[in-house]
Amino acid sequence: MMIRIRSRDGLERVSIDNPNITISQFKTLIQNQLQIPIHNQTLSTNQNLLLAKSPPDLLQFTDMSNPNTLLSSLNISHGSIIFLAYEGHRTIAGPAVHPAGSFGRKMTMDDLIAKQMRVGRQENPHCDSVSFDRDCANAFQHYVNETLAFAVKRGGFMYGTVSEEGKVEVNFIYELPQQGTEEILMLLRDSDEEKIVDAIAAGLGMRRVGFIFNQTIMHDKKDYTLSNREVLQAAELHAESELKEWVTAVVKLEVNEDGGADVHFEAFQMSDMCIRLFKEGWFETEIGEDVDPKLSIMKKDVVVGSKDVKEVDNDFFLVVIKILDHLGPLSTTFPIENRITQVTMRALRSHLDRAKNLPFVKRISDFHLLLFLAKFLDLNSDVPALAECVLTQTAVPEGYQLLIVSMANT
């Protein structure tokens, strides 16, 4: 049986002959196979263990603190992921070394540049935390779960605010035109529509803060966090944003204790080195079918540990972010753009009828509704005026109310 161990060093595997072992015996296997002393290990099934910054923080994770507990009693089985925090340093085995210098091939200028490209784990993100508006997060996961059944990939741009302390709040998700398969998410970007989205966001005092996508149900059988294709796409969008707090969020299905499936959110930042390597063209962007998805391929050698390699474990590029939730200022009840069902004026009429007892500004305090309306209004005057009403929660001018109601009745 194989158990996956995720630590600050990435994702590794521990082989177990007997599934009915105790946590104490499992720690001994980790010591023997991963060279981490037993007394330095803290284990948990909770991924937040990797966010712990001090010994007192580690003491909060007690689910695997009893050495006599059986792994099987924690519903840990073949392929399960256990999170590991440890003190100290160790040498991680890597691919074979390519000799350079006086004892091997001659050093070239590319070799010298590669020596400066040291890929290591970035401990601290620029983003302190990311908080999701519960309604917008639920609308996204509900669609990929109930309608798409996690069979194909789907994504969207997250919009919200960034505080001076680096806390990101996500208040709506714009689902751009796209086509998803089990492995690939193709974004069919519409620059005109994105301009409208950005204008609405600006009027609401918000901006684009990240990208969210789901992994398909088949990913639960694989031993990596993000695939090389996902790393490339995340790095490209992060680099394009020029926002150091940019967040990449992943929605996935995970097997629960009862054998059912729960929806989970994870959030990361792509490391500074990942973005630098992407901007400078180090990534191989043509990915062959025979390439291991958990490895990103470089065009030239980089240094990982003390080794010159062209294959880098994707986990080295990920920096885990703490996830929170909140109730934001917008509702998410209007049909969402670019999905299977086209949004029509009938949807607008139904939405206004359902919310007829609310003040008009509350009835239009929904990004997806504002985006639908914006396609029929002036981007430079009407859209900012309506967005300002929503931002300040002030009365919508009667002229706009009559215009919107008449649109709904066409």
Side-chain angles (χ1 to χ4, degrees), residues 62-333:
T62 59
D63 58 319
M64 298 186 69
S65 60
N66 185 343
N68 298 317
T69 299
L70 293 174
L71 287 188
S72 55
S73 71
L74 299 175
N75 290 301
I76 294 170
S77 58
H78 177 73
S80 294
I81 295 181
I82 293 177
F83 299 91
L84 163 67
Y86 69 92
E87 298 177 12
H89 300 277
R90 66 182 176 123
T91 300
I92 305 167
V97 180
H98 301 295
S102 58
F103 295 100
R105 59 181 171 83
K106 292 183 178 180
M107 295 287 283
T108 66
M109 184 57 69
D110 283 345
D111 294 329
L112 294 172
I113 294 172
K115 293 299 181 186
Q116 301 172 19
M117 291 299 190
R118 292 187 172 274
V119 178
R121 181 159 296 278
Q122 181 176 320
E123 297 293 340
N124 299 312
H126 298 291
C127 170
D128 178 78
S129 62
V130 58
S131 181
F132 288 90
D133 170 73
R134 295 169 197 167
D135 290 341
C136 85
N138 185 62
F140 184 81
Q141 70 86 14
H142 187 269
Y143 183 69
V144 300
N145 189 11
E146 298 297 329
T147 303
L148 303 181
F150 278 93
V152 296
K153 303 183 76 156
R154 185 155 186 89
F157 285 126
M158 304 186 295
Y159 282 78
T161 59
V162 182
S163 72
E164 292 182 0
E165 298 80 23
K167 299 179 188 295
V168 173
E169 280 198 356
V170 176
N171 289 314
F172 70 82
I173 297 170
Y174 159 60
E175 297 183 19
L176 61 166
Q178 58 195 273
Q179 185 170 349
T181 68
E182 185 179 299
E183 297 289 346
I184 297 173
L185 177 59
M186 184 182 299
L187 303 181
L188 308 174
R189 298 180 66 171
D190 181 337
S191 59
D192 291 334
E193 187 170 82
E194 287 187 31
K195 286 178 183 176
I196 298 174
V197 174
D198 289 340
I200 295 171
L204 296 172
M206 302 178 195
R207 61 162 298 163
R208 194 179 298 181
V209 295
F211 181 67
I212 186 171
F213 67 94
N214 73 285
Q215 292 174 326
T216 60
I217 194 166
M218 293 304 295
H219 185 270
D220 190 52
K221 301 177 181 179
K222 300 174 181 176
D223 63 347
Y224 52 83
T225 309
L226 295 190
S227 71
N228 41 28
R229 294 182 189 276
E230 291 166 343
V231 166
L232 270 175
Q233 188 169 55
E236 179 181 7
L237 296 173
H238 188 150
E240 175 191 306
S241 76
E242 298 292 344
L243 178 68
K244 71 177 188 299
E245 295 91 356
W246 181 268
V247 175
T248 298
V250 184
V251 184
K252 59 174 66 175
L253 274 184
E254 291 188 356
V255 178
N256 61 29
E257 296 177 355
D258 301 322
D262 293 329
V263 178
H264 284 267
F265 282 69
E266 293 185 358
F268 307 95
Q269 281 203 286
M270 309 312 291
S271 70
D272 295 343
M273 179 54 74
C274 175
I275 301 306
R276 179 183 173 185
L277 289 170
F278 180 83
K279 285 183 174 180
E280 296 183 10
W282 286 64
F283 280 90
E284 282 285 3
T285 55
E286 297 296 325
I287 300 173
E289 294 297 325
D290 58 337
V291 175
D292 189 336
K294 71 180 179 182
L295 299 175
S296 289
I297 311 302
M298 302 291 113
K299 294 178 179 177
K300 296 175 286 189
D301 283 352
V302 296
V303 180
V304 177
S306 59
K307 309 292 177 68
D308 293 349
V309 300
K310 285 186 178 177
E311 299 180 342
V312 181
D313 189 314
N314 298 331
D315 276 9
F316 276 108
F317 295 133
L318 305 180
V319 189
V320 179
I321 303 172
K322 179 170 57 180
I323 294 181
L324 307 170
D325 64 2
H326 67 278
L327 287 175
L330 304 173
S331 64
T332 310
T333 54

Side-chain angles (χ1 to χ4, degrees), residues 43-50 61 63-64 81-84:
L43 300 176
S44 178
T45 56
N46 186 340
Q47 66 174 356
N48 289 329
L49 175 69
L50 300 184
F61 299 89
D63 58 319
M64 298 186 69
I81 295 181
I82 293 177
F83 299 91
L84 163 67

